[in-house]
Amino acid sequence: MINTNPSNAMRFRTKFVMTAVFSILFTAVAANFFKISVLENKEYQEKANDQHFASISITAHRGSIYDKNGVALAKSATVYTVFVDPKQFKEDKKRLSNLIEKRNLDKANGTYEPKYDEEGKEIDALPASIDEVIDQVTEFVSVKLEISQRKFIDAIEKEGQYVKLKEKVEKNTVDEISQYFDDLGFISIGYDEDTKRYYPQQDLAASVVGYTNGNVSYGVEAYYDEYLSGIDGRTISAKDSHGNALPYKYSKTYDPKDGSDVYLTIDREIQYILEKHLKEMSDEHYIKNRACAILMNPKTGAVMGMATYPSYDLNNTGELNTDMLLEKIYAEENKYNPTEKETEEFEAEALERQKRNKCISERYEPGSVFKVITAAATLEEKTIDTEKWSHYCSGVERLMDGNKPFDIHCHERYTGHGVVNFQDALTKSCNPAFMELGKILGADRFHSYFEAFGFLEKTGIDLPAEAYGDIPPLVKTDSREAMSHIDLAYSSFGQCETVTPIELITACSAVVNGGYLLKPYVVDKVVDGDGNIVLKNERTVRRQVISEDTSEKMRQALENVVNGNKTGNVYIKGYAIGGKSGTSERRSEKEVMRNDIDNNDTEGTGMEYGASYMCFAPADDPELILLVLGDMPYAGNQQYYGSSVAKPCAANILEEILPYLGINPEYNEQERENLDIKVPILTGSSIDDAIKQLDEKGIKHKEFGNGIEVVEQSPMTGKSMAKDGCIYLYTEKLSESEKMVQVPYLIGVSPQVANESLSAYDLNYVAKGVLSAQDGTAVKKQSYDGGTYVPRGTVIELEFETETFTD
């Protein structure tokens, strides 16, 4: 019998609906539970951990940076982050307040019994009131941490258990604060260990070492940050339901892994020599756009020294060392009376440029040093017969720009060089001759060698912010015209293209090292905390550009450049050196571009110049190669040439570095005949023995006094002087005035006249940079100014140069 009761049917439908609803709800809950517990488990776990665990980071000690000999250039010292626990501070305050109130009550009741030490001072004396304590604590902390009192007051009034007061606090300051709070019985001040970066050598190699302040970094500090920074540790502690940290047993500490140490290929002593002589060059020639120098091993690519002057103090990176860069920006922007806002912008830009490594981050026209590349390409391609080829230089080369004649001058602008062969063209640095060599090579081959020598790409040096060179393209693009025959002419002697110093010295290394283009590097190795070498840089060949045979011929040709014009190049007695000077018009600079309206005639247009010199030694098997650049020297006295500005600087550098590296001189016959003599020890000897010793060595001498023993001599032992110099022997003590003579003015005179003049004044000399017997030279500098009074026999150092060499 079928049940047709309506109430039963209704109950059935209700049960069905409820079952369906509950099924849907259960499915939704289950799906959400699956989503939270499985799909989004990590996210919710982190949220839970944030609620149940407190985490404090422990900073890893950053690795140190050393020079090749282990001299520290960058180190990390332990400092501290000082924090306050506001909750504990309130409890400390309440406890001390209760003690003060009890003391005051005991005093009122007459039951207070103070204790005194042997000197009669009250032991554990309490302050007058808790307000007085808080005022004293606030003032003490603000003074010691150099923060405002308001900051400390706000910190202790906050909720929670951790408010940071100051980072990078020195240990002695932390010790003072700790002792102060211990004396109060307060436990609410805490300290987290941290590290602070400092640079013991201050501004030495600043553009290479770089710096880091946690947010930005430069130099090696930036490039090798992955190795230097290490891995921070962490302390994780449990929190109760109110968010308070549970006791220490509920915490776990993961120790930090300190960073690895980095060892440079740079030698501190060599770096110092580079920077010292760059400063001398910059000061003497009023360099406007900084100077730089690179010393490198051409066989490996290891950088032995890399300097930019002016440098800056790595411990004080927010301060301009000089106004040089600021004045350069004024010139670029043509703003010599800037507004206050403009001054702020210019100073910020100058600060940023000061941190830039000029050797790798700035381009310039290389000038005649680039003739080394053109010459190497010519020899490699055999486009001329070097034994037969010649070119007539009249001082100007006329090219046609459409129907308009276009004149390009040689540096021997008015007389020209006449007929020159390949070696003459290089030695005399003849622009028209190299224009002809470039023309014979052709734009395609010239361009291919520009690229092959690495000028259209970064060298890959292990430093950040490297730039690379530029030259007009072979094919017209949307933004540039294709290389014209005039561009090719200028490029052949280094005027149309721009390069970086690191690109140029790397390319020149390839010219003299057998033809191999190498990857330069400034870091030798990276060593971890256990002494393991985790990275080692070695010689890396990018490609071979020219043959061994071509490279050998170029070494000989560049040595001939020096020997063929010793006064215009780096010549040092006893050393075989190859080299090339360069002077370029800095047309790529903003102020020059603005002033240079007619680029066919630069006179009166505010032209600036780049003065450079490249050299290597020993010439037959180079162990080092050097590039010096003085960017935009003072041009008013016409002494802006590479041979006048950069060459003397390069000579001074090599004169110190060659002996330092243990590269001993090997004198040829002419040099031996004119070799300087070392002054022997004669003081304390009998006058007869001293005279006999000097006579045997063929050294001239004069005696003063009637004694039998030499009590004083001039020059002193250890000094060097020209072989025809004279030693002055004193057998009696004379007054200072009796021994003094006046130095003559010698600038501009020949070696012979200089020698005769000094001899007449009872003085000696030593020639710097050339043989004392060399003709065609004149004194450029003397170590003591004319009119100065010095002891008789003093050695005057003379620097000679040929004034007519202008390249």
Side-chain angles (χ1 to χ4, degrees):
M1 182 176 179
I2 298 175
N3 186 0
T4 59
N5 190 331
S7 61
N8 290 337
M10 184 176 293
R11 282 197 297 273
F12 176 78
R13 286 195 297 273
T14 302
K15 288 179 180 180
F16 179 80
V17 171
M18 292 296 291
T19 299
V21 170
F22 279 116
S23 296
I24 293 170
L25 290 174
F26 177 79
T27 301
V29 170
N32 198 44
F33 178 78
F34 178 80
K35 178 184 176 185
I36 293 173
S37 62
V38 178
L39 300 180
E40 298 178 353
N41 175 266
K42 185 176 181 180
E43 178 183 349
Y44 281 93
Q45 185 67 46
E46 290 175 354
K47 291 181 178 180
N49 287 342
D50 288 342
Q51 294 179 4
H52 296 291
F53 295 96
S55 177
I56 298 176
S57 176
I58 305 174
T59 304
H61 282 262
R62 191 172 180 83
S64 298
I65 300 175
Y66 299 98
D67 85 334
K68 68 171 297 183
N69 298 314
V71 177
L73 302 176
K75 291 187 74 68
S76 290
T78 299
V79 289
Y80 299 86
T81 297
V82 180
F83 65 88
V84 64
D85 180 341
K87 180 179 179 182
Q88 184 61 52
F89 190 89
K90 293 178 179 69
E91 293 177 4
D92 289 343
K93 177 181 174 181
K94 182 177 179 181
R95 178 188 55 77
L96 183 58
S97 179
N98 290 337
L99 290 175
I100 293 173
E101 288 178 6
K102 183 177 182 305
R103 189 273 317 270
N104 292 342
L105 184 61
D106 288 344
K107 280 187 175 182
N109 295 331
T111 58
Y112 181 64
E113 297 182 359
K115 296 179 181 179
Y116 298 94
D117 60 18
E118 295 177 354
E119 297 179 357
K121 294 181 181 179
E122 185 177 349
I123 300 174
D124 297 329
L126 294 172
S129 68
I130 191 63
D131 290 338
E132 179 183 308
V133 173
I134 301 306
D135 288 344
Q136 291 174 351
V137 169
T138 300
E139 181 179 3
F140 178 82
V141 172
S142 68
V143 169
K144 290 299 177 183
L145 294 183
E146 297 179 341
I147 61 175
S148 67
Q149 293 188 20
R150 183 72 259 165
K151 181 174 182 178
F152 181 73
I153 292 170
D154 290 343
I156 61 178
E157 290 178 352
K158 288 184 178 180
E159 299 297 326
Q161 294 177 273
Y162 184 93
V163 178
K164 189 184 298 183
L165 295 176
K166 182 76 176 286
E167 295 178 317
K168 309 296 183 187
V169 181
E170 302 289 345
K171 186 177 185 303
N172 59 338
T173 302
V174 168
D175 289 343
E176 289 183 58
I177 296 174
S178 178
Q179 185 62 53
Y180 184 83
F181 276 81
D182 284 347
D183 292 344
L184 285 174
F186 279 31
I187 59 173
S188 47
I189 286 285
Y191 324 95
D192 288 332
E193 188 174 300
D194 199 354
T195 59
K196 176 183 178 180
R197 202 65 165 166
Y198 73 100
Y199 301 89
Q201 307 300 322
Q202 298 177 318
D203 60 352
L204 190 78
S207 61
V208 177
V209 175
Y211 75 93
T212 179
N213 62 10
N215 298 316
V216 296
S217 53
Y218 296 81
V220 169
E221 290 275 31
Y223 197 92
Y224 284 89
D225 182 67
E226 176 185 353
Y227 294 96
L228 288 162
S229 59
I231 301 173
D232 289 347
R234 192 166 292 276
T235 296
I236 300 175
S237 57
K239 294 191 292 187
D240 62 19
S241 59
H242 299 291
N244 300 315
L246 293 175
Y248 178 76
K249 65 180 181 178
Y250 295 103
S251 67
K252 183 172 180 60
T253 297
Y254 298 90
D255 292 331
K257 181 181 179 181
D258 291 342
S260 299
D261 295 331
V262 170
Y263 289 80
L264 304 185
T265 57
I266 288 174
D267 183 315
R268 179 185 66 171
E269 298 306 315
I270 290 176
Q271 185 71 25
Y272 170 75
I273 291 169
L274 292 185
E275 295 188 11
K276 176 179 69 173
H277 292 299
L278 281 183
K279 181 182 187 305
E280 291 170 355
M281 177 184 74
S282 297
D283 291 346
E284 179 180 353
H285 295 282
Y286 305 101
I287 304 295
K288 301 176 187 176
N289 195 27
R290 300 197 295 172
C292 66
I294 306 170
L295 185 76
M296 194 162 77
N297 184 331
K299 295 179 178 179
T300 65
V303 174
M304 304 158 74
M306 177 181 282
T308 299
Y309 180 82
S311 186
Y312 65 101
D313 187 350
L314 291 169
N315 298 304
N316 189 13
T317 59
E319 183 175 317
L320 274 175
N321 257 13
T322 71
D323 290 333
M324 178 193 290
L325 290 173
L326 197 56
E327 291 170 358
K328 174 70 168 64
I329 295 171
Y330 290 157
E332 290 175 359
E333 302 299 328
N334 202 21
K335 299 264 183 160
Y336 295 95
N337 293 295
T339 64
E340 185 176 339
K341 182 179 180 181
E342 287 173 335
T343 299
E344 290 179 3
E345 293 175 355
F346 294 161
E347 287 179 349
E349 170 64 17
L351 271 174
E352 189 60 32
R353 289 191 192 185
Q354 181 173 261
K355 299 166 189 172
R356 190 184 300 163
N357 187 336
K358 188 175 182 69
C359 296
I360 69 168
S361 298
E362 295 183 10
R363 301 186 307 192
Y364 74 108
E365 294 85 351
S368 291
V369 174
F370 196 84
K371 289 171 182 172
V372 173
I373 307 302
T374 305
T378 296
L379 291 184
E380 183 68 13
E381 290 295 314
K382 297 180 174 59
T383 54
I384 63 169
D385 183 341
T386 56
E387 299 298 322
K388 298 179 180 179
W389 180 85
S390 65
H391 182 80
Y392 179 78
C393 170
S394 64
V396 63
E397 199 77 15
R398 173 159 289 184
L399 303 179
M400 296 303 295
D401 183 10
N403 295 323
K404 179 182 177 183
F406 192 94
D407 292 344
I408 301 179
H409 296 277
C410 186
H411 66 84
E412 288 290 347
R413 181 178 185 126
Y414 300 106
T415 61
H417 290 112
V419 178
V420 293
N421 60 24
F422 177 78
Q423 181 64 61
D424 292 335
L426 196 58
T427 302
K428 296 179 179 180
S429 199
C430 178
N431 290 348
F434 270 86
M435 290 163 59
E436 179 65 18
L437 293 177
K439 180 180 178 181
I440 296 171
L441 266 174
D444 287 346
R445 278 189 291 195
F446 185 90
H447 216 279
S448 68
Y449 275 94
F450 188 83
E451 184 173 1
F453 273 107
F455 293 111
L456 290 179
E457 62 185 342
K458 297 179 181 179
T459 65
I461 191 171
D462 47 345
L463 287 170
E466 182 182 5
Y468 57 90
D470 181 62
I471 196 171
L474 282 173
V475 180
K476 181 180 179 180
T477 67
D478 291 340
S479 58
R480 298 184 72 177
E481 293 294 326
M483 175 181 271
S484 67
H485 66 295
I486 294 176
D487 293 334
L488 177 61
Y490 272 119
S491 296
S492 65
F493 58 88
Q495 189 56 64
C496 189
E497 62 273 66
T498 55
V499 303
T500 65
I502 190 64
E503 282 183 317
L504 186 57
I505 195 172
T506 304
C508 288
S509 294
V511 170
V512 301
N513 71 7
Y516 299 95
L517 188 70
L518 305 179
K519 178 181 177 181
Y521 57 96
V522 297
V523 167
D524 175 40
K525 61 186 176 181
V526 178
V527 181
D528 68 15
D530 298 322
N532 301 310
I533 296 177
V534 296
L535 181 145
K536 175 70 175 175
N537 284 323
E538 296 177 334
R539 179 179 187 261
T540 301
V541 177
R542 294 155 65 191
R543 54 185 167 269
Q544 186 170 9
V545 185
I546 57 175
S547 67
E548 295 268 3
D549 180 62
T550 297
S551 180
E552 182 180 358
K553 291 176 180 176
M554 284 302 304
R555 290 195 298 270
Q556 184 61 59
L558 290 168
E559 183 180 6
N560 291 340
V561 168
V562 174
N563 291 332
N565 182 10
K566 292 183 175 70
T567 53
N569 289 281
V570 172
Y571 169 76
I572 302 172
K573 285 174 278 188
Y575 293 98
I577 298 172
K580 184 72 189 76
S581 61
T583 308
S584 62
E585 295 177 344
R586 296 289 278 113
R587 294 179 182 273
S588 60
E589 285 300 302
K590 191 173 180 180
E591 64 270 42
V592 176
M593 293 173 66
R594 183 180 62 246
N595 294 332
D596 187 16
I597 300 171
D598 182 0
N599 65 8
N600 192 29
D601 184 1
T602 60
E603 292 183 6
T605 62
M607 182 56 68
E608 299 288 354
Y609 301 89
S612 59
Y613 193 86
M614 180 280 300
C615 55
F616 56 92
D620 61 337
D621 186 22
E623 296 288 338
L624 56 85
I625 186 168
L626 171 68
L627 177 67
V628 174
L629 168 65
D631 198 1
M632 298 171 57
Y634 174 67
N637 58 3
Q638 298 299 305
Q639 293 300 308
Y640 53 81
Y641 300 100
S643 57
S644 301
V645 177
K647 186 272 290 185
C649 178
N652 291 335
I653 289 170
L654 286 194
E655 282 181 343
E656 289 195 54
I657 286 177
L658 287 168
Y660 174 76
L661 292 176
I663 302 176
N664 297 317
E666 297 179 3
Y667 301 104
N668 58 36
E669 185 176 346
Q670 184 187 17
E671 288 172 337
R672 280 194 295 271
E673 290 177 358
N674 292 278
L675 205 57
D676 298 331
I677 57 176
K678 289 283 187 182
V679 178
I681 300 175
L682 300 170
T683 302
S685 304
S686 69
I687 186 64
D688 292 337
D689 288 343
I691 291 173
K692 181 181 179 182
Q693 183 179 347
L694 293 175
D695 286 342
E696 288 175 351
K697 294 182 178 180
I699 301 175
K700 291 188 291 186
H701 50 83
K702 287 184 180 180
E703 303 86 46
F704 294 85
N706 298 312
I708 61 173
E709 180 182 329
V710 178
V711 296
E712 192 175 347
Q713 69 178 81
S714 182
M716 298 293 290
T717 181
K719 294 284 187 181
S720 293
M721 65 181 188
K723 69 181 184 68
D724 53 355
C726 182
I727 295 179
Y728 299 85
L729 305 174
Y730 297 90
T731 59
E732 295 177 2
K733 285 287 185 182
L734 300 182
S735 67
E736 287 299 312
S737 60
E738 290 177 297
K739 292 186 294 184
M740 301 300 279
V741 295
Q742 192 173 28
V743 178
Y745 184 81
L746 301 170
I747 303 301
V749 306
S750 69
Q752 181 181 353
V753 171
N755 186 18
E756 292 172 354
S757 298
L758 290 171
S759 179
Y761 280 82
D762 284 349
L763 293 167
N764 292 297
Y765 84 100
V766 63
K768 184 177 181 182
V770 298
L771 296 173
S772 58
Q774 188 169 328
D775 295 328
T777 60
V779 176
K780 181 185 178 184
K781 291 181 185 177
Q782 57 187 86
S783 56
Y784 291 91
D785 292 336
T788 306
Y789 281 88
V790 298
R792 179 183 289 107
T794 296
V795 178
I796 310 298
E797 188 178 89
L798 301 179
E799 182 178 330
F800 295 94
E801 266 203 326
T802 302
E803 298 299 327
T804 57
F805 191 72
T806 54
D807 189 43

